[in-house]
Amino acid sequence: EAGKEWKLLHERLRRTDFLADNQLRKTTDLGCYSSILVDEAHLLSMEQLKILEERKKQIPVIFSSDTEDMISPEELDREIPQRLAGLPDVQSFHLTNRIRTNTELSSFIQNMMDLSRRKGQKGYPNIEVVYANDDTEVVCLMQGYARRGYLYQTRDDQIAVKDVNRLVAVLDERYYYDEDGYLRAGKISEGSYEITRITTSEDRKSNVRLLFHQLNQAKEKLAIVIKDNPSVYDTILDILQMRKNR
């Protein structure tokens, strides 16, 4: 709507290329760029980060990442953030608060990830938590939320998603709280549904960390469907009820 200024901005932005992280390889030609902006830098692989480190010697590289301090240390992969912090000639700047998620949703997500935090909100009118006994009930609930304008994201698009006004997520029986109050994720063995401890960083990355970043895409309303997991359901209800009773 800004007329000439908007047209000028559009022409300038056309000189910007957008690359997914899986397009960043040793053979990728980055020599034509005068600067590189890296979003979600904490989710890079070490190989991808090393490629950018080499380019950083010639041009400015700006890394943007989220804080993950409310995630269990066992679930958290600190290798990339630590390497970023240790790069020579890096200047670090920290936002005082989240810039997209509203205060209510942000408070709930942080308290859900780490029960020891218990800070912030008086109530959660825009959070819904419902229970499903099996996959059939999950489907019915998700269809109901879809009719109300809620978006559900599959595991494949939990990282590269856009902000949404209404988001619904599913927590199944693999999730649990450890003795320190952190939300953790096991993996369900075939046949027995036994929850076992996750042993690989890639498995961890595909569960609690992705859940955390997925939930933070919600802008206005958040719904959580908990499947066949009464202990997690009771704990999250306590978070909601405690705030309402204050």
Side-chain angles (χ1 to χ4, degrees), residues 10-51:
H10 175 69
E11 292 296 326
R12 289 181 174 178
L13 288 177
R14 290 178 63 181
R15 301 186 312 207
T16 302
D17 290 335
F18 295 87
L19 303 178
D21 58 352
N22 58 16
Q23 296 176 275
L24 191 60
R25 305 181 181 91
K26 290 182 178 179
T27 56
T28 304
D29 181 17
L30 300 176
C32 61
Y33 300 112
S34 57
S35 61
I36 299 176
L37 313 179
V38 186
D39 194 21
E40 306 284 10
H42 54 287
L43 298 174
L44 291 171
S45 70
M46 186 57 67
E47 180 181 359
Q48 293 163 347
L49 180 55
K50 289 179 179 179
I51 294 172

Side-chain angles (χ1 to χ4, degrees), residues 22-174:
N22 58 16
Q23 296 176 275
L24 191 60
R25 305 181 181 91
K26 290 182 178 179
T27 56
T28 304
D29 181 17
L30 300 176
C32 61
Y33 300 112
S34 57
S35 61
I36 299 176
L37 313 179
V38 186
D39 194 21
E40 306 284 10
H42 54 287
L43 298 174
L44 291 171
S45 70
M46 186 57 67
E47 180 181 359
Q48 293 163 347
L49 180 55
K50 289 179 179 179
I51 294 172
L52 294 170
E53 285 181 29
E54 286 299 313
R55 195 65 193 134
K56 173 183 167 294
K57 297 175 182 178
Q58 288 81 37
I59 63 172
V61 179
I62 298 177
F63 297 96
S64 173
S65 64
D66 287 343
T67 178
E68 298 178 307
D69 59 354
M70 67 289 300
I71 298 176
S72 166
E74 289 81 8
E75 298 275 358
L76 188 57
D77 184 358
R78 296 188 180 275
E79 187 176 21
I80 297 299
Q82 288 175 348
R83 189 175 181 96
L84 283 171
L87 290 177
D89 303 322
V90 165
Q91 300 181 57
S92 297
F93 302 91
H94 297 274
L95 295 175
T96 57
N97 206 342
R98 302 195 65 84
I99 59 176
R100 292 177 298 185
T101 306
N102 66 42
T103 302
E104 176 191 344
L105 271 60
S106 180
S107 171
F108 172 79
I109 293 167
Q110 292 183 45
N111 287 327
M112 187 185 81
M113 289 287 165
D114 178 3
L115 299 178
S116 68
R117 301 181 76 88
R118 300 296 197 194
K119 65 178 184 178
Q121 198 67 23
K122 293 182 178 179
Y124 297 111
N126 294 299
I127 307 289
E128 294 185 19
V129 179
V130 296
Y131 194 82
N133 291 290
D134 51 37
D135 288 334
T136 300
E137 292 186 4
V138 169
V139 171
C140 291
L141 288 167
M142 298 299 280
Q143 290 174 342
Y145 278 113
R147 288 192 291 269
R148 293 169 56 192
Y150 283 75
L151 177 67
Y152 172 68
Q153 294 148 2
T154 65
R155 179 167 298 179
D156 292 337
D157 58 21
Q158 281 183 352
I159 288 297
V161 295
K162 297 180 179 179
D163 293 349
V164 295
N165 290 332
R166 298 184 176 193
L167 179 73
V168 58
V170 177
L171 271 65
D172 58 23
E173 55 267 52
R174 81 190 66 200

